[in-house]
Amino acid sequence: MEQDWNRQQLERPVSVADFRVWNHRWPAVVLGCSQRGLRDGIAARLQPRGVGLVERSSGGGAVLSGPWMVSVSVALPPDHVWATSGLEGYRQLGRVHAAVLAGLGVATLQVPPEGVGRANQRWGGGVRWACFGSLAPWELTDGEGRKLVGLAQRRQGHGVLLVAGTLCHAPDWPLLCDAMGSPGDVSGLQRVTVACDALADRAFSATTLAEQLRRALASELGPPRCSPLAI
């Protein structure tokens, strides 16, 4: 449903900002648009596990969605203030996430564009095929530089689609690495990432995060429009 909603947003001109916040009941591997050539091999490795496989229209690396994650999708008109540059949407969506997480007892830092290279080198370049394996501008980390909120976008004439994913709890990294044919990267992903529940100064709930993100985005962008895909 999430990927269907995302694809539909840029099929026609976006006239007003709209958004959705997603919880995930079951695990699924989500490939970036540049990784679709790997689909057959990944599908074969996932089939015995009964884990889903989908592709997203935005770039970036593979993501393992599941109950440990909350995702956000934001569709913007081309002239929206958040869409004024390729990085402004990242900065604004990261800012909203940082404020919401702070209210839930999770302190984060946004990585400015000029700090991305240095941050990635801190981890030896990270795990490049995985979204959470390296950092991009304005993504969120803890004080040690470990990533907990990833961002991606798709820009075209009809508008801009921004997406974000937050690690609420530790993902099943062995599952993702096995699916991608890179079992040796488990320790790398564990080293460069951190989940909100490991940082929070109180009990952390993915459901609560989703509710608070909906409120914050409605305050920033206006209430979401009705949609048959809304959950």
Side-chain angles (χ1 to χ4, degrees), residues 75-209:
L76 301 169
D79 60 352
H80 192 276
V81 65
W82 283 21
T84 54
S85 74
L87 294 182
E88 183 61 14
Y90 282 170
R91 187 178 74 85
Q92 296 289 355
L93 189 55
R95 172 185 59 81
V96 171
H97 277 74
V100 169
L101 288 169
L104 298 175
V106 179
T108 63
L109 299 171
Q110 277 190 276
V111 182
E114 63 273 16
V116 170
R118 183 171 62 254
N120 282 322
Q121 286 306 310
R122 179 176 185 175
W123 304 112
V127 180
R128 304 302 295 184
W129 57 260
C131 173
F132 281 91
S134 61
L135 289 163
W138 302 119
E139 292 184 322
L140 270 60
T141 72
D142 69 350
E144 298 181 19
R146 297 176 296 176
K147 183 171 172 176
L148 67 154
V149 177
L151 304 169
Q153 69 174 315
R154 182 183 176 195
R155 301 177 67 89
Q156 61 180 58
H158 285 168
V160 176
L161 176 72
L162 297 170
V163 296
T166 301
L167 300 181
C168 299
H169 313 289
D172 188 346
W173 291 132
L175 170 59
L176 178 61
C177 291
D178 287 346
M180 298 299 294
S182 300
D185 284 332
V186 172
S187 60
L189 285 172
Q190 292 172 335
R191 185 171 62 254
V192 303
T193 60
V194 66
C196 293
D197 61 354
L199 301 174
D201 61 7
R202 68 201 73 165
F204 192 88
S205 163
T207 300
T208 301
L209 173 62

Side-chain angles (χ1 to χ4, degrees), residues 30-77:
V30 184
L31 300 179
C33 59
S34 64
Q35 296 176 313
R36 58 173 54 100
L38 305 174
R39 183 182 178 98
D40 289 347
I42 296 169
R45 288 187 287 271
L46 287 176
Q47 193 275 333
R49 298 172 178 259
V51 176
L53 176 64
V54 296
E55 298 172 14
R56 65 178 185 272
S57 56
S58 58
V63 175
L64 181 64
S65 65
W68 44 79
M69 178 176 286
V70 169
S71 299
V72 169
S73 305
V74 177
L76 301 169

